[in-house]
């Protein structure tokens, strides 16, 4: 398969759509990014790497980071995690409060904000310096010691994060947050503010295409069955209430962030990451979704 040719064709084919959609502006520090950026990278589990466009430019990965924290939380607590988290699509916005009340403070899934706050709480419970532990985990997976938090984005999200604070306090009132709301929010806004490029992300997430093993080191991060479960959660909950449309068009497990990044995994073969900051009405990268649809159409590879 000539992936480099496919990526170059995709970059050409998406040009007319670049500029459609809206860059997220509810975190002021995110709103300053140009909507005209486009990058894409694909890395096979054996290490062969392909990229195009602004694929080496670090951007704010936002909710894509929830895949890292979910993996860490699964390592730390295994099946016990699911006493505090559901595994169903939410059918509502990623920062919605309403379901939590009906469902007694148990978030529908680990990828909506409430669920990711529970993951942050699990990490805070187990490690003495959660921000350092998450950074080390991500740097090791990428083989890139230069990955950092964007402190301006973390600070901006903390200042404008009243809704996340509300979710955290609400869950604490149900006993589903064990640590201080401040510490959990601080951990959460930092992992959302990780700055990574498409090349970093495609490299990092190959373990999800490789049965839970880091293909660089052979290290096992999770069992094959836990890896299957995370991929299943990505498919059903990874792009919020656009999961049906994304499965229909792209046909791969994927995880998006409001910084305009999306990662997707073709089990047994590769992981890919795309970045274009302008979002569609569901909060997913408009051009990124199109690029992934073109990738599975042109390569004739998907999980279906
Ligand atoms: O909690 C927030 O608002 C952001 N830090 C993360 C949101 C996000 O990326 C949701 N995604 N699509």
């Amino acid at each position: 398969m000539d992936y480099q040719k496919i990526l170059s064709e995709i970059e050409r084919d998406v040009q007319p759509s670049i500029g459609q959609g809206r860059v997220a502006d509810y975190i002021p520090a995110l709103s300053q990014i140009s909507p005209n950026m486009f990058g894409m990278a694909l890395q096979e589990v054996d290490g062969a790497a392909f990229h195009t466009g602004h694929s080496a430019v670090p951007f704010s990965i936002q909710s894509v980071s929830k895949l890292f924290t979910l993996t860490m939380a699964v390592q730390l607590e295994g099946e016990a995690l699911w006493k505090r988290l559901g595994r169903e699509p939410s059918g509502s916005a990623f920062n919605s409060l309403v379901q939590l009340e009906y469902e007694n403070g148990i978030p529908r899934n680990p990828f909506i904000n409430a669920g990711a706050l529970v993951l942050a709480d699990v990490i805070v419970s187990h490690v003495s310096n959660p921000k350092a532990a998450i950074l080390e985990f991500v740097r090791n997976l990428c083989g890139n010691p230069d990955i950092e938090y964007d402190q301006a984005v973390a600070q901006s999200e903390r200042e404008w994060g009243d809704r996340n604070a509300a979710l955290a306090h609400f869950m604490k009132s149900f006993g589903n947050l064990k640590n201080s709301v401040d510490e959990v929010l601080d951990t959460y806004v930092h992992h959302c503010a990780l700055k990574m490029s498409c090349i970093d992300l495609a490299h990092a997430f190959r373990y999800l295409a490789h049965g839970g093993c880091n293909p660089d080191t052979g290290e096992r991060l999770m069992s094959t069955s836990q890896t299957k479960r995370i991929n299943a959660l990505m498919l059903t909950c990874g792009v919020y209430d656009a999961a049906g449309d994304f499965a229909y068009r792209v046909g791969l497990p994927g995880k998006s962030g409001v910084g305009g990044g999306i990662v997707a995994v073709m089990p047994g073969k590769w992981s890919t990451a795309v970045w274009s900051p302008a979002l569609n009405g569901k909060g997913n990268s408009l051009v990124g979704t199109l690029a992934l649809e073109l990738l599975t159409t042109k390569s004739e590879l998907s999980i279906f």
Side-chain angles (χ1 to χ4, degrees):
M1 184 83 65
D2 190 346
Y3 288 115
Q4 192 55 54
K5 180 164 171 281
I6 291 178
L7 292 190
S8 302
E9 281 176 20
I10 292 171
E11 188 177 16
R12 183 199 63 205
D13 293 353
V14 300
Q15 289 309 312
S17 304
I18 287 181
Q20 289 176 27
R22 285 194 55 188
V23 174
D25 56 6
Y26 75 100
I27 301 171
L30 284 183
S31 66
Q32 287 149 23
I33 197 84
S34 160
N36 298 326
M37 307 297 279
F38 174 80
M40 191 164 187
L42 181 148
Q43 191 154 355
E44 293 183 279
V45 290
D46 68 6
F50 311 90
H51 49 92
T52 195
H54 301 115
S55 53
V57 178
F59 63 92
S60 190
I61 71 165
Q62 292 296 312
S63 288
V64 174
S65 63
K66 295 169 184 174
L67 274 177
F68 293 126
T69 53
L70 176 58
T71 302
M72 290 178 78
V74 164
Q75 288 179 334
L76 292 165
E77 295 214 337
E79 279 299 296
L81 190 60
W82 305 110
K83 292 193 188 113
R84 299 173 59 186
L85 280 171
R87 303 192 286 254
E88 293 297 341
S90 73
S92 45
F94 62 84
N95 54 5
S96 168
L97 277 148
V98 280
Q99 257 167 4
L100 266 187
E101 171 129 53
Y102 294 124
E103 297 180 2
N104 302 318
I106 308 287
R108 269 288 170 102
N109 68 63
F111 294 141
I112 52 173
N113 288 9
L117 288 163
V118 170
L119 300 177
D121 187 59
V122 166
I123 295 170
V124 169
S125 292
H126 285 271
V127 302
S128 56
N129 187 339
K131 287 184 284 187
I134 294 169
L135 200 53
E136 189 191 337
F137 180 79
V138 174
R139 285 175 174 172
N140 282 342
L141 274 174
C142 295
N144 180 355
D146 296 329
I147 288 167
E148 291 287 356
Y149 295 121
D150 184 329
Q151 296 295 348
V153 171
Q155 181 66 25
S156 185
E157 177 161 357
R158 194 73 175 86
E159 275 167 30
W160 295 87
D162 297 312
R163 191 170 267 266
N164 286 333
L167 290 167
H169 282 289
F170 202 42
M171 286 191 292
K172 182 124 184 158
S173 78
F174 283 102
N176 200 15
L177 221 63
K178 314 288 181 203
N179 298 282
S180 88
V181 165
D182 265 350
E183 197 178 358
V184 171
L185 287 173
D186 188 53
T187 304
Y188 174 83
V189 297
H190 276 82
H191 73 66
C192 286
L194 277 164
K195 272 181 83 166
M196 295 174 69
S197 68
C198 290
I199 291 175
D200 290 325
L201 289 168
H203 189 106
F205 286 114
R206 285 178 305 149
Y207 70 94
L208 292 176
H210 196 49
C213 286
N214 178 338
D216 292 332
T217 60
E219 180 203 355
R220 178 165 286 287
L221 285 99
M222 292 178 296
S223 68
T224 321
S225 147
Q226 287 169 326
T227 311
K228 170 195 77 181
R229 291 172 176 160
I230 290 193
N231 283 332
L233 285 163
M234 284 169 78
L235 185 74
T236 51
C237 315
V239 292
Y240 307 102
D241 51 338
D245 184 60
F246 190 87
Y248 178 86
R249 291 174 57 194
V250 177
L252 294 176
K255 181 75 205 83
S256 63
V258 293
I262 311 178
V263 300
V265 172
M266 180 65 213
K269 290 202 175 294
W270 40 254
S271 123
T272 184
V274 60
W275 173 50
S276 184
L279 308 179
N280 61 24
K282 303 276 190 187
N284 300 308
S285 172
L286 187 148
V287 168
T289 307
L290 174 61
L292 291 170
E293 181 178 10
L294 287 166
L295 173 63
T296 50
T297 305
K298 286 175 189 285
S299 67
E300 299 183 355
L301 284 172
S302 86
I303 63 163
F304 297 109

